[in-house]
Amino acid sequence: MSIENFSVRGRLADTGEGITADELQLAARNHGMPLESLRYDVTPPGLHYVLVHYDIPATNAGEWLLNVDGCVEQPLTFGLTELRAMGRRTVRVTLECAGNGRATLQPRPISQPWLSEAVGTAEWTGVLLSDLLRLAGLRSDAVDVVFTGADHGVERGVEQDYQRGLSVEEAIDSGALVAWEMNGAPLPPQHGYPLRLVVPGWYGMASVKWLRSIEVIDHTFDGFQNAVAYRIRTDADDPGVAITRIEPRALLVPPGFPDFMSRHRFVAAGTVPLFGRAWSGWAPIERVEVSTDAGVNWHEAKLSAPSNEDDELAWRAFAYDWEATPGEHVLTVRAYDASGREQPIEAPWNRGGFTNNTAQRITVLVT
Ligand SMILES: Nc1nc2c(c(=O)[nH]1)N[C@H]1C(S)=C(S)[C@@H](COP(=O)(O)O)O[C@H]1N2
Ligand SMILES: [Mo]
């Protein structure tokens, strides 16, 4: 047996096949955000979701070096002290894993089995990537920018450092940040200590943690995470379409109280204030609708004001007062953004279980 033979292809669960021990192992390492934490504008420490492909690497801020090289006029190396001297900007960003929603798909792609909780919002502090690239000076042959983390592993038989590429345009126009703080404190180890990329509006895979190298190249990056892993395909042999920005989604804080095992909900009849958050990586949220009868009738929720211009893609709060009558009810919500994208009730299936923004359904027994 050699490395190239390990888990060479992504697999779909057989009909009726439950979560495997491999998936349980992933789910226990990579945790979601408990949905009751949607009540916070900024997700408190430890409640933000976490996704780590390999191991959290051993890192040290005092010795950390970030190289910026390749198709640049002046290759540069930064320690944390030099980076901090470049300026300091804080942006509120909602991150969501591209695999969020995967676990309820039929057939189910075998991978990190997220339900709908792979999301969080943090205030990231650092320097604009565009400032670093400007200082190094992009050459006219620059095409893509490759970001490399300090973590290392094997995926579908390919040994690799975690690496993602962005086009030069995306790297500059996205407002990406090279960040050393999360919510006003040094990055926690699992979120990329001491340095990470944060790409606002993009699914999480673009925001490379434990960032040690930024290389500008003169061709389209064809590394594993761009060319093989994060693509929408219906067939294993499709080249597929690259995953980029976050599709609109709304989530409710599940009302009332839960049953321990099934998490079925119970609420008392009367006015039940429903509350949640909605976001899209394409454009600000324009409208959220709530249904309390499994999608037969829809009501417009009240949206909060966006926090500030820099944070326009961060999630927005919404509220709706539900007059709950005794019996069983299915609550569901959907988001609409200013680009004209609307959240579907049922998102189309794809082989990796990516970008699935099927509307949330919460069954509630009103007593
Ligand atoms: N170096 C490195 N960066 C990474 C990853 C990784 O495994 N290694 N996972 C990516 C994925 S798939 C996601 S969804 C986000 C998760 O960021 P968080 O754990 O800070 O929420 O980090 C991204 N950056
Ligand atoms: Mo992810």
Side-chain angles (χ1 to χ4, degrees), residues 49 51 53 96-99 114 204-205 230:
Y49 87 98
L51 194 293
H53 282 228
E96 182 179 8
C97 181
W114 294 121
M205 75 281 151
Y230 286 98

Side-chain angles (χ1 to χ4, degrees), residues 30-31 48-55 57 95-99 114 118-120 124 147-152 155 161-164 182 190-192 196-197 203-211 225 230:
N30 297 310
H31 66 80
H48 193 286
Y49 87 98
V50 172
L51 194 293
V52 177
H53 282 228
Y54 316 128
D55 291 346
L95 279 186
E96 182 179 8
C97 181
W114 294 121
V119 65
W124 303 98
F147 304 89
T148 306
D151 49 334
H152 190 86
E155 239 167 290
D161 292 339
Y162 187 90
Q163 274 191 323
R164 281 279 308 182
M182 180 186 194
Q190 69 275 28
H191 291 295
R196 77 176 297 173
L197 188 67
Y203 279 109
M205 75 281 151
S207 294
V208 176
K209 303 191 270 193
W210 313 292
L211 181 66
Q225 302 299 338
Y230 286 98

Side-chain angles (χ1 to χ4, degrees), residues 142-166:
V143 173
D144 272 8
V145 187
V146 183
F147 304 89
T148 306
D151 49 334
H152 190 86
V154 179
E155 239 167 290
R156 285 186 242 165
V158 182
E159 186 176 337
Q160 58 192 286
D161 292 339
Y162 187 90
Q163 274 191 323
R164 281 279 308 182
L166 288 173

